[in-house]
Amino acid sequence: MEIKKSTKLGELIIKPVEKKLAKEMIVKNHYSHKWNDGGFGVYNVGVFRADEPNKCLGVAVYGYVKNLNAKMFEHPNPEAWMCELNRMWIDDSLGKNAETILIGASIKIIRKHDPNLVAIQSFADGRLGCGTIYKAANFQYYGYHYTKFLINSRSGEVTHEQILTNTTSATGYLRANIAYLVGDYKAFEVKTYRYIYPLCKRFKFRSSQLPYPEYDKGMRETDWKRDKEKIKCNIMRLLEKVAPSPVSLTK
């Protein structure tokens, strides 16, 4: 547990919380309203006012990076790993300064729990900005890549490109790609900024650290060209998997 005193926010308590509570808060309040049971919630840390110690006003969720097998860094410890700050949400009553306080205090907490944890990664969504909060929290910047998001013109739902290409998630692939084929989606490109907070001097990321980026925000519409015949074949194969044809009992 960490106790932080702020002239604007008063006394704050930062401590671990149950995964169930963290998931409920993120799904309800985070702008994405989404949670990945397979990767999120390895460590979950909440923030509370000292005078209301049972009322959680925000949470930082740490979990696994997208590809655990990718060789993203070097370290002499063969058990070394890098986690990811997957989600964070803080009640508006605390204000933006609380984000930096929560990040800093939560990092202190989780590094005490796992000596093999050598770095923390997080990404800033270009739809909201370029990651000013990470600069304030002393994360290092390692560049950006473009991510595609699709907006359903019928429902308004926003979908990450990953669900349209990941055939291991059969039902998600089917729903998203049928909508894609019938023309329900508009595709947009967004800059996704990578930030890393090293916990060990011997940690070395695969690429070089860069100067912090100039402020940028927004997304641009793009034409996402895909192999529709391949998508149709995948749909037929996966449809048979999730809804197999009944076996005939007649000869």
Side-chain angles (χ1 to χ4, degrees), residues 65 72-73 80-84 117-121 196 203 205:
V65 297
M72 294 190 291
F73 66 88
W81 72 293
M82 178 171 66
C83 75
E84 188 168 310
L117 185 61
V118 296
I120 295 167
Q121 173 178 266
I196 295 176
F203 170 87
F205 194 63

Side-chain angles (χ1 to χ4, degrees), residues 103-157:
I103 290 175
S106 61
I107 288 175
K108 287 183 179 180
I109 290 172
I110 66 174
R111 73 186 302 181
K112 292 177 182 178
H113 283 272
D114 193 341
N116 293 321
L117 185 61
V118 296
I120 295 167
Q121 173 178 266
S122 195
F123 292 96
D125 187 333
R127 292 175 294 175
L128 305 179
C130 61
T132 305
I133 185 65
Y134 297 114
K135 180 179 178 180
N138 294 317
F139 277 64
Q140 298 174 359
Y141 174 60
Y142 285 88
Y144 68 84
H145 62 273
Y146 282 102
T147 302
K148 290 184 179 65
F149 289 91
L150 296 99
I151 299 179
N152 191 305
S153 57
R154 294 176 183 270
S155 66
E157 182 182 6

Side-chain angles (χ1 to χ4, degrees), residues 159-230:
T159 301
H160 190 282
E161 64 176 314
Q162 182 181 352
I163 197 170
L164 283 93
T165 58
N166 182 12
T167 56
T168 62
S169 177
T171 56
Y173 183 95
L174 287 169
R175 292 190 184 100
N177 279 288
I178 289 172
Y180 171 84
L181 290 176
V182 300
D184 284 349
Y185 282 132
K186 284 188 177 181
F188 295 85
E189 279 190 335
V190 178
K191 287 181 178 178
T192 300
Y193 302 85
R194 185 196 299 269
Y195 289 88
I196 295 176
Y197 190 98
L199 300 176
C200 176
K201 292 181 179 180
R202 292 178 291 179
F203 170 87
K204 184 179 180 181
F205 194 63
R206 65 182 178 187
S207 59
S208 301
Q209 181 182 354
L210 300 173
Y212 289 115
E214 296 292 329
Y215 183 78
D216 192 13
K217 177 182 177 180
M219 58 186 184
R220 64 182 185 186
E221 189 170 349
T222 185
D223 183 17
W224 190 17
K225 295 185 181 299
R226 302 174 66 208
D227 187 338
K228 292 185 178 181
E229 291 305 315
K230 182 178 179 180

